[in-house]
Amino acid sequence: SYPWGAGGGVGGGVAFGASGAGGAHDLSLKRSPSLWKHTEWARQYASVRRQVVPRLVEHRRARRVELGPNVTLLFENRTTILAQIYEQAWAAGDISVDAGERMRTELRSLVPQPGELLTTVFLQGETDKVLSLSHDLTAYPGALRLHLPTGSCAGINLDPTDTKAAVHFLRFRLPQGPRLVTKNSGARTRSWTLELDSSLGLLAQTISDALCNDLLNDADAPTSRTLPELVDLTQVIPSETTSS
């Protein structure tokens, strides 16, 4: 299982819970353990955290898709994974440098590679519905599918043994042909649909044009699992003054 577990609600993980900009990422908290004193990436994040957290929350909100009242998906990218590393370390508080680096190593494996999309699936609502949906996502490969104008691909559950989890991580490997055709034919933002064939029925939602564009850019980006330091995070999430 991944370190932020199932307790994060719709917002995603310990650091970005359903309470929006509050909750675990309380901007009034101070940190002075060994990780925050002796690790450069942690020191950099601590110095700008108050400014970047509200922008990270909005960035994640724009990448969410709801499949009815019980299923919410968050399409991850390099920035959201970086945010998980920084905020998970922050929420952990007084941890060692070694523990912080182990956390970074584990999360690094989630960074989507070229041609891939990664989604975190959050299940909420009545316990019986959550358990049924969790069983669907683990027992039936391809239960969650992403339909493009010229093809479709199945979500691959990264931990199909966790049959009772409220949070699942699924990776899509986009077919090379459909992705390029979609991008080059002028149909870049047309007819992207998510479908979950579940015990609660067929749940479907069309993805917005803006998010389609972002996902195509994610899939085509030359991404490395060697994660950068904080400067990359602040460049990807510009302030309102620099983005206007």
Side-chain angles (χ1 to χ4, degrees):
S1 63
Y2 293 94
W4 53 88
V10 176
V14 170
F16 291 89
S19 56
H25 46 268
D26 182 347
L27 297 182
S28 67
L29 292 175
K30 304 295 182 183
R31 287 286 180 259
S32 57
S34 56
L35 175 73
W36 302 97
K37 284 183 178 180
H38 303 299
T39 306
E40 181 61 23
W41 63 266
R43 285 203 303 266
Q44 286 184 336
Y45 185 64
S47 69
V48 298
R49 181 175 177 270
R50 182 177 294 273
Q51 289 74 42
V52 301
V53 162
R55 288 178 259 148
L56 289 168
V57 170
E58 289 303 315
H59 180 71
R60 292 168 63 89
R61 183 175 291 120
R63 301 179 66 86
R64 280 169 30 187
V65 178
E66 293 186 2
L67 292 178
N70 302 110
V71 183
T72 300
L73 295 93
L74 170 68
F75 281 98
E76 306 279 5
N77 63 2
R78 198 159 173 249
T79 299
T80 64
I81 298 300
L82 280 170
Q84 286 286 4
I85 291 171
Y86 299 131
E87 280 296 298
Q88 179 67 19
W90 187 269
D94 191 2
I95 61 176
S96 68
V97 172
D98 287 345
E101 292 301 332
R102 285 197 301 272
M103 187 182 300
R104 232 168 48 133
T105 298
E106 183 171 4
L107 289 172
R108 183 178 294 126
S109 66
L110 292 179
V111 176
Q113 295 298 285
E116 295 180 351
L117 298 175
L118 176 74
T119 184
T120 305
V121 181
F122 301 96
L123 307 177
Q124 58 266 339
E126 297 91 338
T127 300
D128 58 337
K129 292 183 178 179
V130 169
L131 291 175
S132 293
L133 290 164
S134 184
H135 177 265
D136 295 336
L137 289 170
T138 54
Y140 305 117
L144 181 66
R145 300 192 69 86
L146 177 62
H147 298 283
L148 285 71
T150 54
S152 65
C153 51
I156 302 168
N157 198 317
L158 301 188
D159 186 5
T161 65
D162 200 356
T163 60
K164 297 182 180 180
V167 178
H168 294 267
F169 304 90
L170 283 85
R171 194 182 305 278
F172 294 98
R173 301 188 188 279
L174 300 186
Q176 182 75 3
R179 189 170 86 257
L180 293 179
V181 169
T182 300
K183 184 172 182 179
N184 296 331
S185 66
R188 184 175 173 83
T189 59
R190 186 182 64 200
S191 301
W192 282 52
T193 304
L194 272 168
E195 287 187 354
L196 175 58
D197 189 2
S198 76
S199 53
L200 303 184
L202 183 63
L203 309 176
Q205 181 62 53
T206 300
I207 300 176
S208 70
D209 288 355
L211 182 52
C212 284
N213 278 328
D214 287 345
L215 297 180
L216 276 171
N217 289 332
D218 291 346
D220 290 337
T223 303
S224 169
R225 287 199 171 113
T226 302
L227 292 174
E229 302 301 340
L230 183 70
V231 63
D232 180 81
L233 192 71
T234 56
Q235 288 172 351
V236 172
I237 309 294
S239 67
E240 291 183 6
T241 54
T242 59
S243 61
S244 58

